[in-house]
Structure formats: C-alpha cells, structure tokens
Amino acid sequence: MLKELRTLNELKDFVAQIKLKGKTLGFVPTMGYLHDGHMSLVKLSLSHCDFTITSIYVNPSQFNDASDFETYPKDEVADLKMLEDNGCHAVFIPQREEIETLNKIQVDLDGLDEVMEGEFRPGHFKGVVEVVYRLFSAVTPDKAFFGQKDYQQLMVIKKMVDQAGVPVEIVGAPIVRESNGLAMSSRNSRLTKEGRLNGGFIFETLQSFSTSNLSNVERNLAAKGFELEYLETHELNGEKRLFIAGVYEGVRLIDNIELRA
Ligand code: AMP
C-alpha cells in the first residue's frame, strides 16, 4: 500500500520508523507526470534498498521560463496509481511553503553550470542544487536514484553531495526510450501525436553523429523543425558523451548518448 506523505512531519515519522528498524531507504526525486523512465528508477531503488520514497515536487526555482513552469504537466491521480502498481512504499508531495523553510546551500560547480543546460537555462542548476539538498535533508536517504537522461544534472548532484558532505550514495540509471528511440520525458505529452511518433530523429541524430558532417546534421535537424540549442561532446566523470538540446513543436527536449572509443 502506497503511503502518502504531504507534510514534513508525516515524512519524518515514516522515515523514523524505517531507521528504527535498521532498514535502508532509497529515494527517487521527480517532478511528477510519471512515466516508465521514472519507474525504472523506482524499480532500481526497490532492488537496492528495503524502502523507497518517491517525491513529486515541481520546483519553481529551477525554471528559468515562467510559462514552462506554469504549463508543466500534472496528473497526481495517475502518478499515485503508477507508484502503487510498481510497489513504491511512499510518495512525498510537499507544499512549497514547507520546502522553503528548509536550509539551502550553494556549491561551486566548477564550471559544470556554465555549459549546456547551465548556459541555456541560467540559474537552473542553482535551483536544482537548492531543492535536491533540501529534499535530501528532509528524506535522509541512504541512496538516491537519478536518470542519465539528465546526465549533467546527475554530475551536478554528485558534486553537490561531495562538497556538502551529504551522506548519501548517488546512483545513475540508463535512459528509457519510446520504441522509436525518443527519450521518455514528461514534456513529451506536450508534443502532437505526430511529433511524438516522428521524435525518434533526435536519438538517430546522436547515433549517426560525426563532427565531419556537423553542418549537414544542423540542416537536417532544422528541416525537421528542430531548433537546435546545442549538440556537443563532453567528457564528464571519465565518460565521453554526446549531448543535444533543442525545441521541437515548442517543447524543449534533451538527450545524450555515451560515445564509445
Ligand atoms: P523529472 O521528473 O523530469 O525531474 O525526472 C526525475 C528523474 O527521472 C530524474 O533523475 C530524471 O533524470 C529521471 N528520468 C526522466 N526521464 C527519464 C528517462 N527517460 N530515462 C531515465 N530516467 C529518466
């Protein structure tokens, strides 16, 4: 039975019981409108830890675009059902007023917040660090699970945890894709049916990429109606990856793949 925790006190009581029993706690932070990508993290947490809490909280401070925040999709009833069906133990759905009572921190992200998402979404990672630190301090998990879909975010969280000395293990998980290769995202619901069916070209672009045909690639993306923000390789955490972001049918989408030597 999924336990609904809507206040810090309810959360504290639930976590205290777990710790009292000497059991381990896994945590999956999300912004809701859940899909199989989120569920892969829940399942991973269930396989690593005795208890799993998923949070649903759309954090205003990480949105640099007010209309993106306001139109972020929501369906709490469907989210609760999906969590229950997948065996998640509890869901934490806090109010903004309570979250904002918690201490926040700022960390030096060593330039990681100046490229890609950091460059195109000013202030985004500051907001992410703020909210994830607050959630960690409230939930006090042993392990927390993040998708490689937001690979740069995963690196930012690892840096934050190291610098702030938060006693939690960060576990990254592979990207879950639609059958055409489009990376699953809550934002995909804002695409037209046709756009969602055709959206596999983003993953195909990553798979067939080589620097020698960059201008061709850019032209092809533009012809498909994809307004490219960046398409670039970065070596992060000893892994070389290719990252893409852009706007398709008015929806901002990101994706990345590992580049094997
Ligand atoms: P969000 O609700 O978009 O903030 O995502 C919550 C968590 O789910 C983050 O750690 C994301 O990286 C992860 N996630 C979102 N989409 C996917 C996906 N398609 N595959 C794997 N993880 C994902």
Side-chain angles (χ1 to χ4, degrees):
M1 193 53 193
L2 179 74
K3 179 99 176 143
E4 287 175 35
L5 311 165
R6 293 185 186 268
T7 65
L8 288 174
N9 272 335
E10 287 170 5
L11 173 71
K12 250 185 230 151
D13 288 347
F14 185 81
V15 171
Q17 285 176 36
I18 293 171
K19 307 253 162 163
L20 209 64
K21 289 185 211 149
K23 302 287 185 190
T24 55
L25 178 58
F27 179 43
V28 181
T30 81
M31 298 201 295
Y33 211 76
L34 303 176
H35 51 67
D36 285 351
H38 298 113
M39 287 311 109
S40 72
L41 300 178
V42 169
K43 287 178 194 154
L44 194 62
S45 175
L46 289 169
S47 74
H48 277 242
C49 299
D50 300 317
F51 286 89
T52 293
I53 299 180
T54 297
S55 65
I56 298 177
Y57 181 63
V58 185
N59 166 39
S61 79
Q62 73 189 66
F63 283 80
N64 52 317
D65 174 347
S67 88
D68 189 26
F69 172 66
E70 277 147 24
T71 59
Y72 199 82
K74 284 185 184 62
D75 188 343
E76 194 181 295
V77 174
D79 287 352
L80 296 183
K81 180 167 187 332
M82 201 180 276
L83 289 170
E84 166 98 49
D85 289 350
N86 281 275
C88 187
H89 298 94
V91 60
F92 178 45
I93 309 181
Q95 291 296 314
R96 181 174 175 183
E97 296 71 39
E98 264 211 306
I99 284 293
E100 290 180 355
T101 62
L102 298 168
N103 285 340
K104 53 182 180 180
I105 51 156
Q106 268 198 18
V107 290
D108 176 9
L109 293 172
D110 208 8
L112 195 52
D113 52 339
E114 282 159 24
V115 296
M116 297 191 288
E117 294 303 280
E119 182 184 346
F120 282 86
R121 301 183 69 187
H124 170 64
F125 286 127
K126 185 168 173 273
V128 168
V129 163
E130 215 171 82
V131 73
V132 174
Y133 180 80
R134 283 171 155 163
L135 289 169
F136 281 176
S137 64
V139 178
T140 62
D142 297 289
K143 296 187 183 191
F145 299 82
F146 290 85
Q148 292 180 342
K149 158 89 192 319
D150 302 277
Y151 197 87
Q152 196 179 0
Q153 168 176 279
L154 172 62
M155 296 298 113
V156 163
I157 301 298
K158 283 191 170 167
K159 248 193 198 346
M160 180 269 276
V161 161
D162 281 352
Q163 276 191 29
V166 184
V168 59
E169 183 187 332
I170 304 301
V171 183
I175 301 175
V176 179
R177 300 179 178 282
E178 313 253 2
S179 54
N180 63 359
L182 177 65
M184 286 192 184
S185 165
S186 307
R187 288 190 172 87
N188 292 354
S189 64
R190 288 206 214 131
L191 296 171
T192 62
K193 200 173 164 199
E194 203 191 1
R196 200 162 173 163
L197 281 173
N198 294 336
F201 71 84
I202 301 169
F203 184 46
E204 282 159 24
T205 301
L206 292 178
Q207 285 178 308
S208 61
F209 179 78
S210 88
T211 41
S212 60
N213 62 5
L214 185 57
S215 56
N216 251 343
V217 172
E218 287 174 349
R219 219 172 306 124
N220 287 341
L221 286 171
K224 292 208 153 55
F226 188 83
E227 300 155 43
L228 183 65
E229 287 185 352
Y230 60 80
L231 175 62
E232 49 199 48
T233 56
H234 288 268
E235 194 166 325
L236 299 175
N237 213 21
E239 238 179 67
K240 197 165 174 200
R241 299 187 82 93
L242 176 62
F243 296 84
I244 190 168
V247 178
Y248 184 50
E249 293 189 331
V251 184
R252 190 169 184 282
L253 300 174
I254 60 171
D255 199 351
N256 70 87
I257 56 166
E258 185 181 358
L259 292 176
R260 292 175 200 278

